[in-house]
Amino acid sequence: MMKKKFELYKRFIKFKVANFSMLDKYILRQIIEVFILGVIIFTSIIFASETFTQLIKQITQFGIPFNIAIMMIVLNLPQVFVMTIPISTLFAAVMTINKLSLNSEITVLRACGIGIARIAKPVFAFAIVMTIVSFLINEFVVPAASQQAKYLAIYSLQRKHVPDGRMNFTLNENGKDGKLKRLFYVQKCEDKTLNNITVLDLSNEDTVQIIQAKFGKTADAGWIFDGGVIYTLSPTEKVLNTTLFESSTINFGLENVDSLVKESASQYNFFKLMKFIKKNRKNPDFVKKLKLEYQIQLYDKLALPVTTFALALVGIPLAVTPPRVRYNRGFLFSVMIIFVYYVIRAFSINLGETEAISPFFAAWLPVISIALIGWILYYKKAYTIS
């Protein structure tokens, strides 16, 4: 008799485990579908608002070719994904749980003894995986892509003035005040090689330089001229000096690099950024405000991925709809939670930059706040409501 009861008990356990496995797959399948949709939607929104504006600026203000500007935008996508993964995870969790609630599936599962805590397990598992994925992208993919975008910008600016195949053309470089800085004359450009170049250099107010060279080429360091002479003239056109050179470099075309490609924390992973801050701690050029900004971004490299789990924690209890409510309010809750999170984040970072709180709390306060609110709501929904 005891043996028969034991066998029945084993079968019951196996049945429950099999059902739980089916439940996990059923919930995960819906979460993944909505998550992919969320990534597409939110990435498109960010691209249309910020990235598209940046694209137009690169083409019009800096003269970046359209195809290279598109490549630079693509290289910035991993940084956008780090922002959209937490939002999309929240969106997927809320929409999935809310759909189960509206279809009375949660009511049926609870009637079978399967509570909210058990139903939420696959959601939490997915949120943990996305937290790890977000951290890995932010730590390894984003720095590499940001560096590549920087090199691509320098490459583009350096070569945008080289019209291959043209003969007898002039180029001019203006300073920030709009005044003429240098005037170039090139007899012929063939296979990216400049032939018979003359440069009028007006960058120095006290003297004027005329540079003549037989050949030239472009490189990351600037325009390299080979086999030439430099005439230094006074304002009265008197020759002060004549210098022969074998090779000379002029940074023509790189005057916009500082404006287009600024040094940022996204170009470093967590440990390299930590070393960078430590190395420049006593550097006078590493001003106090910039140091605070980098320190906040250092801790944010850890806090931002964890936001994925925190948002899922607060989203689950809000998505469980009472039986009398028969409309889908998941999207509304998603927007509301995202808005609250970014308000807290903006307020927290502002406090950190003004030294009202430490850089650590400036980065982690939004995550801690959302997680605390989420835990209170989740505990009430999962453990105190019958």
Side-chain angles (χ1 to χ4, degrees):
M1 187 70 179
M2 289 293 294
K3 187 176 181 181
K4 189 175 181 180
K5 286 184 177 180
F6 181 73
E7 288 295 330
L8 289 173
Y9 182 73
K10 280 177 64 178
R11 290 180 184 178
F12 176 76
I13 294 296
K14 288 181 180 180
F15 175 76
K16 295 286 280 186
V17 170
N19 283 337
F20 284 160
S21 178
M22 291 173 61
L23 176 64
D24 292 337
K25 291 178 182 178
Y26 176 70
I27 294 175
L28 283 173
R29 184 168 58 250
Q30 295 188 59
I31 287 176
I32 292 171
E33 290 175 358
V34 181
F35 174 80
I36 294 172
L37 178 63
V39 169
I40 294 172
I41 292 173
F42 294 118
T43 301
S44 301
I45 291 172
I46 294 175
F47 177 84
S49 59
E50 297 180 7
T51 316
F52 185 73
T53 304
Q54 181 184 358
L55 173 63
I56 299 300
K57 182 179 179 181
Q58 289 171 353
I59 294 173
T60 57
Q61 183 175 345
F62 301 112
I64 300 296
F66 181 79
N67 59 334
I68 293 182
I70 289 293
M71 291 175 64
M72 292 174 64
I73 295 302
V74 171
L75 289 170
N76 285 322
L77 280 179
Q79 195 168 354
V80 177
F81 287 150
V82 173
M83 298 296 296
T84 58
I85 284 175
I87 302 172
S88 301
T89 303
L90 166 67
F91 181 67
V94 171
M95 294 297 288
T96 300
I97 297 298
N98 198 227
K99 182 181 177 182
L100 293 175
S101 184
L102 287 173
N103 293 337
S104 301
E105 292 173 281
I106 289 181
T107 304
V108 173
L109 288 170
R110 295 181 71 179
C112 296
I114 302 173
I116 299 295
R118 178 60 190 86
I119 297 171
K121 280 187 178 180
V123 181
F124 286 139
F126 181 80
I128 291 171
V129 171
M130 287 300 104
T131 298
I132 296 171
V133 169
S134 179
F135 174 77
L136 293 176
I137 293 175
N138 201 26
E139 191 71 2
F140 298 105
V141 181
V142 170
S146 297
Q147 286 288 351
Q148 193 62 39
K150 177 180 178 180
Y151 296 146
L152 193 61
I154 296 174
Y155 173 87
S156 176
L157 285 173
Q158 191 62 283
R159 288 157 177 77
K160 71 172 183 177
H161 299 288
V162 185
D164 197 28
R166 285 187 57 186
M167 298 179 64
N168 298 319
F169 61 90
T170 59
L171 303 168
N172 64 287
E173 177 186 9
N174 296 324
K176 294 182 179 179
D177 55 0
K179 294 182 179 180
L180 181 64
K181 188 177 179 181
R182 294 188 184 97
L183 180 66
F184 289 72
Y185 167 78
V186 181
Q187 185 186 50
K188 185 178 182 181
C189 179
E190 188 175 11
D191 296 330
K192 300 298 181 180
T193 300
L194 309 172
N195 297 276
N196 296 327
I197 312 119
T198 300
V199 182
L200 176 64
D201 190 345
L202 304 175
S203 58
N204 193 327
E205 295 181 358
D206 298 327
T207 60
V208 176
Q209 285 189 329
I210 298 176
I211 305 169
Q212 292 182 323
K214 293 181 180 179
F215 304 103
K217 60 182 179 180
T218 60
D220 290 341
W223 282 30
I224 301 176
F225 297 152
D226 297 325
V229 59
I230 300 175
Y231 301 101
T232 304
L233 309 177
S234 67
T236 59
E237 299 183 359
K238 181 180 179 181
V239 178
L240 300 178
N241 189 20
T242 302
T243 305
L244 299 175
F245 64 86
E246 293 183 1
S247 180
S248 179
T249 303
I250 297 180
N251 292 329
F252 178 59
L254 293 181
E255 69 279 359
N256 288 323
V257 169
D258 290 339
S259 300
L260 178 61
V261 186
K262 296 180 180 179
E263 189 78 18
S264 66
S266 64
Q267 298 173 13
Y268 303 94
N269 61 29
F270 180 81
F271 296 104
K272 287 185 178 179
L273 182 58
M274 186 186 298
K275 290 180 181 179
F276 176 81
I277 295 172
K278 187 176 181 180
K279 180 181 178 182
N280 292 275
R281 193 177 298 274
K282 297 182 180 180
N283 187 348
D285 295 331
F286 198 56
V287 294
K288 192 173 185 179
K289 183 178 180 181
L290 186 62
K291 185 174 73 172
L292 283 172
E293 181 183 332
Y294 272 58
Q295 286 178 330
I296 293 171
Q297 293 187 49
L298 172 69
Y299 296 117
D300 194 51
K301 285 183 176 292
L302 299 177
L304 189 58
V306 178
T307 305
T308 305
F309 185 84
L311 289 174
L313 182 63
V314 75
I316 291 171
L318 290 177
V320 179
T321 306
R324 62 182 177 274
V325 178
R326 304 309 303 169
Y327 62 91
N328 193 324
R329 56 185 188 177
F331 183 79
L332 178 63
F333 277 142
S334 298
V335 173
M336 182 184 68
I337 297 167
I338 292 168
F339 176 76
V340 171
Y341 167 72
Y342 276 106
V343 167
I344 298 174
R345 179 180 170 85
F347 179 70
S348 176
I349 290 177
N350 183 262
L351 289 177
E353 290 177 348
T354 56
E355 295 186 274
I357 58 176
S358 68
F360 176 84
F361 280 108
W364 279 95
L365 183 61
V367 186
I368 295 172
S369 302
I370 291 294
L372 184 61
I373 295 170
W375 172 248
I376 293 172
L377 294 174
Y378 177 76
Y379 182 83
K380 287 183 178 180
K381 185 70 69 172
Y383 298 109
T384 63
I385 298 179
S386 58

